[in-house]
Amino acid sequence: MIDSKNSSVEPIAPIVLGFWRLLAWQLTPLQCLSFLEQSIELGITWTDHADIYGGYQCETQFGAALQLKPSVREQIKIVTKCGIRPASKEQLQAGRVNHYDSSAQHIIASAQQSLRHFKTDRLDALLIHRPDYLMQAEEVAEAFMQLYKNGDVLAFGVSNFTSSQITLLQSRLSLPLLTNQIEFSPYEMKALDDGSLDQCQMLNIRPMCWSPLAGGRLFSDQDPKALRLQAILSDVATEIGASSIDQVVYAWLLAHPSLPSVVLGTGNINRVASALEAQKLTLSREQWYRVWQASTGHSVP
């Protein structure tokens, strides 16, 4: 893709900073800026957001950090998402419901709102957050093209879409979709069998993996699957010289031929640095399948 504001859209990096929990980290804008600059020094420049994160406050908080040093915006990529419309407490009490909205009006309004929140002139990528059963692919494509032609958004993608939903949307688009952001971890391996990762390879797009540590279940849960995984991940960590089982998880994900990007969910710079080191680790096929077997509870057929 070519745009006057950005000569090209780079492939998404293997490690991406996720800001879903930004409010929970309780960082001041200055502390957030410091965390971002330290990550940039490590070579991590892609950031992941969504309009609804933190009750519509996370984008604003991130924007406040960028405002302290506007030059940092030129060093990072901003990916955000839209399309989920939660009802307020009052609306729920009145019988309204949470719903999805992929109408052109909502997509364009959400993108413009995100631009204001981030205090920036463009989004590097905008994703439809969840599949909308009422999605009109032509209407989504029209909204994407309007935002693209205006220079407001440089690339587009989806999140949690099935293969057929991506095929439908891509059939109406003249621009290639950048990514499908999906849940993928050793604990949640559905993407290995539902065609999501196969399609990413076919279309030559890099999937983004959210919740790579299964929301912490790989460390704390005591169910049989989690316990099996904890044991095997610890064994493999020793074998390949990893400093922690999360490094093994990241190396396991990055080994997939679809070339996934791992979306981190931490505001701890030491854990960010540790995740980056995971790129240097290599699992043998047998080690990879030992993790797979620990998750499924059975050997391959």
Side-chain angles (χ1 to χ4, degrees), residues 9-287:
V9 176
E10 304 168 7
I12 301 172
I15 304 295
V16 176
L17 296 174
F19 286 87
W20 172 35
R21 296 186 176 91
L22 177 56
L23 296 190
W25 300 341
Q26 298 184 322
L27 302 178
T28 65
L30 185 59
Q31 289 171 327
C32 182
L33 175 64
S34 176
F35 170 68
L36 189 57
E37 289 190 298
Q38 290 177 76
S39 299
I40 292 170
E41 288 178 5
L42 292 173
I44 303 177
T45 58
W46 282 80
T47 66
D48 178 71
H49 313 263
D51 57 354
I52 64 166
Y53 287 171
Y56 293 94
Q57 296 301 308
C58 285
E59 287 187 342
T60 300
Q61 286 285 92
F62 192 85
L66 290 181
Q67 191 74 357
L68 295 176
K69 193 173 182 180
S71 62
V72 170
R73 173 63 185 96
E74 303 308 315
Q75 299 176 266
I76 64 171
K77 304 293 185 182
I78 294 178
V79 179
T80 196
K81 299 178 284 292
C82 70
I84 300 178
R85 301 199 68 173
S88 66
K89 181 179 179 180
E90 292 75 17
Q91 289 173 327
L92 291 171
Q93 291 174 342
R96 302 283 293 277
V97 299
N98 301 330
H99 60 284
Y100 300 140
D101 189 347
S102 62
S103 66
Q105 180 181 5
H106 180 69
I107 291 171
I108 292 169
S110 294
Q112 292 173 342
Q113 176 176 266
S114 292
L115 289 170
R116 291 191 294 270
H117 286 169
F118 289 121
K119 296 179 174 61
T120 185
D121 64 345
R122 84 278 185 193
L123 303 172
D124 293 284
L126 177 68
L127 317 184
I128 303 297
H129 204 156
R130 291 275 179 178
D132 175 11
Y133 300 113
L134 300 179
M135 179 182 78
Q136 294 283 352
E138 293 86 355
E139 186 175 0
V140 174
E142 289 172 5
F144 281 0
M145 287 309 301
Q146 181 175 330
L147 290 166
Y148 178 72
K149 288 177 180 177
N150 290 343
D152 294 330
V153 183
L154 306 185
F156 301 91
V158 295
S159 180
N160 304 297
F161 270 45
T162 65
S163 297
S164 60
Q165 289 163 342
I166 290 179
T167 298
L168 169 61
L169 182 56
Q170 187 64 79
S171 73
R172 303 299 196 272
L173 285 169
S174 57
L175 300 172
L177 291 169
L178 180 68
T179 189
N180 184 16
Q181 188 172 133
I182 56 175
E183 183 177 12
F184 183 34
S185 72
Y187 195 96
E188 178 50 74
M189 303 192 303
K190 181 177 65 175
L192 288 172
D193 298 303
D194 68 5
S196 298
L197 295 173
D198 300 329
Q199 186 181 50
C200 285
Q201 288 190 75
M202 182 179 69
L203 298 177
N204 197 31
I205 64 176
R206 173 168 277 174
M208 298 176 72
C209 304
W210 61 267
S211 199
L213 301 178
R217 284 174 290 173
L218 288 174
F219 302 102
S220 59
D221 276 16
Q222 298 299 303
D223 64 273
K225 180 195 286 191
L227 292 174
R228 290 194 305 266
L229 281 166
Q230 289 162 19
I232 293 301
L233 290 169
S234 294
D235 289 345
V236 174
T238 300
E239 294 166 11
I240 66 175
S243 62
S244 60
I245 66 172
D246 55 329
Q247 281 191 339
V248 180
V249 171
Y250 300 143
W252 185 88
L253 292 169
L254 293 171
H256 193 272
S258 63
L259 304 178
S261 292
V262 175
V263 181
L264 304 181
T266 180
N268 184 318
I269 194 62
N270 292 325
R271 294 193 66 184
V272 172
S274 176
L276 195 61
E277 288 297 307
Q279 296 180 93
K280 301 175 183 179
L281 300 173
T282 302
L283 276 68
S284 68
R285 284 177 177 261
E286 192 270 342
Q287 289 169 326

